[in-house]
Amino acid sequence: MSLKKVFPYSLIAMCLVVFAGALKVEFEKNDRPLAIVKRFKPNVDVENKSADRSKRLDLDTDKGEQLFDGDTLRTDSEGYALVVFMDKSIAKVKPQSLLIVRGESERTSKRSNTRIDLSLGEIFLNVEPQGNNDFEVSTSRSLASVKGTQFGSNSDGYVWVKEGQVDVTALQSGETVSLFEKMYAQVNEDGNEIESGTLSDDDIIDLDDGYDELDEDLIKKQIKFRFKDANGQIREITIDYYEKGN
């Protein structure tokens, strides 16, 4: 067979291999959730980007609803949600909030990055120490970068820290301030300037109000996830969560 005849078949074979590899990468990327909705009440909606579907979570059947890259979670005027990420960080979501979960994890290492795009409402996060990983909360005005802390954020660019450190950046100007325990930052509407200062104990109590809606009378439980890594090895992740007792 001449070289001219062999080359097209070789090219087709190479394209098929590349295409199959792309499918495998896409499958592995979507196979592992970024977070799970462990508790919620009463009305919370989830939109799954990859499946192009949305649904209202049911208290009886949808405990542990998985959230993947690009998925949206929305609470109504009375809704609360507790979201647990794969690194065991926790986000508490207040009523009338809308957030999009984004991120990825490298299967050959423990490197990962997570971002919450907060379009509406308020959240409070207890972020586990991140090491070399990235955990961010973004709004139309601000970007909050954390390495392990307890802090709150709303969609109007207000960030407050209960414990730890958060670096807040104004998106338009690039100005950045570091917040520590009992500090706040407010990015203006244009995303150009940041006002920061300290908070009193009463301020912290007021800001913390409502986030305990899903914390009362809870029993500690665990859920395990199994998945294959890039080498075909089975890996397992255990996540602690809490449910009300009978």
Side-chain angles (χ1 to χ4, degrees):
M1 183 178 293
S2 67
L3 181 61
K4 291 183 178 180
K5 292 183 178 179
V6 172
F7 180 73
Y9 291 108
S10 300
L11 181 60
I12 292 173
M14 291 175 61
C15 291
L16 289 174
V17 170
V18 172
F19 180 68
L23 287 178
K24 182 179 179 182
V25 169
E26 182 64 24
F27 172 77
E28 289 181 348
K29 179 181 177 182
N30 293 329
D31 184 46
R32 183 182 179 186
L34 293 175
I36 54 176
V37 185
K38 282 316 307 167
R39 304 194 69 237
F40 58 91
K41 71 173 190 180
N43 294 323
V44 174
D45 298 316
V46 170
E47 180 178 338
N48 186 281
K49 179 182 178 182
S50 61
D52 192 23
R53 64 173 177 83
S54 60
K55 69 174 181 177
R56 173 153 293 178
L57 300 186
D58 184 276
L59 289 170
D60 294 323
T61 61
D62 291 324
K63 291 179 179 178
E65 177 75 11
Q66 298 180 3
L67 299 177
F68 296 85
D69 178 40
D71 285 359
T72 299
L73 182 144
R74 181 194 295 267
T75 57
D76 69 2
S77 59
E78 297 180 349
Y80 290 84
L82 189 150
V83 178
V84 182
F85 291 84
M86 290 299 104
D87 67 353
K88 301 183 181 180
S89 296
I90 296 173
K92 298 179 181 180
V93 187
K94 274 192 172 182
Q96 294 185 312
S97 296
L98 187 153
L99 58 90
I100 302 173
V101 176
R102 303 189 187 279
E104 60 184 2
S105 298
E106 294 183 6
R107 295 212 175 247
T108 57
S109 71
K110 294 182 179 180
R111 173 74 178 172
S112 66
N113 66 76
T114 304
R115 189 176 85 233
I116 296 174
D117 291 341
L118 184 61
S119 300
L120 295 171
E122 301 177 57
I123 58 174
F124 182 84
L125 294 108
N126 189 338
V127 179
E128 290 294 308
Q130 294 295 297
N132 292 324
N133 297 332
D134 298 317
F135 199 112
E136 300 174 333
V137 177
S138 68
T139 72
S140 61
R141 308 180 187 183
S142 62
L143 178 68
S145 302
V146 298
K147 290 298 184 182
T149 187
Q150 297 180 37
F151 75 105
S153 178
N154 70 30
S155 58
D156 291 330
Y158 183 85
V159 179
W160 59 281
V161 178
K162 188 173 183 179
E163 181 180 303
Q165 177 183 345
V166 178
D167 294 332
V168 179
T169 300
L171 290 182
Q172 293 302 316
S173 67
E175 178 187 358
T176 299
V177 298
S178 294
L179 304 182
F180 301 91
E181 183 176 346
K182 295 185 179 180
M183 292 185 66
Y184 76 90
Q186 174 67 67
V187 179
N188 70 354
E189 187 173 358
D190 295 330
N192 291 318
E193 300 178 355
I194 305 176
E195 173 192 339
S196 62
T198 58
L199 298 165
S200 67
D201 290 337
D202 288 339
D203 291 333
I204 294 292
I205 291 173
D206 290 340
L207 290 166
D208 213 14
D209 184 48
Y211 286 113
D212 60 352
E213 284 291 325
L214 299 176
D215 290 344
E216 299 175 357
D217 302 321
L218 301 183
I219 297 175
K220 183 177 179 180
K221 295 185 178 182
Q222 291 184 329
I223 187 170
K224 295 183 178 181
F225 287 93
R226 286 188 173 185
F227 61 92
K228 287 185 178 180
D229 63 18
N231 298 317
Q233 301 296 314
I234 300 296
R235 295 183 60 191
E236 186 174 274
I237 293 178
T238 301
I239 293 179
D240 296 333
Y241 70 98
Y242 298 84
E243 285 188 351
K244 285 190 175 182
N246 296 326

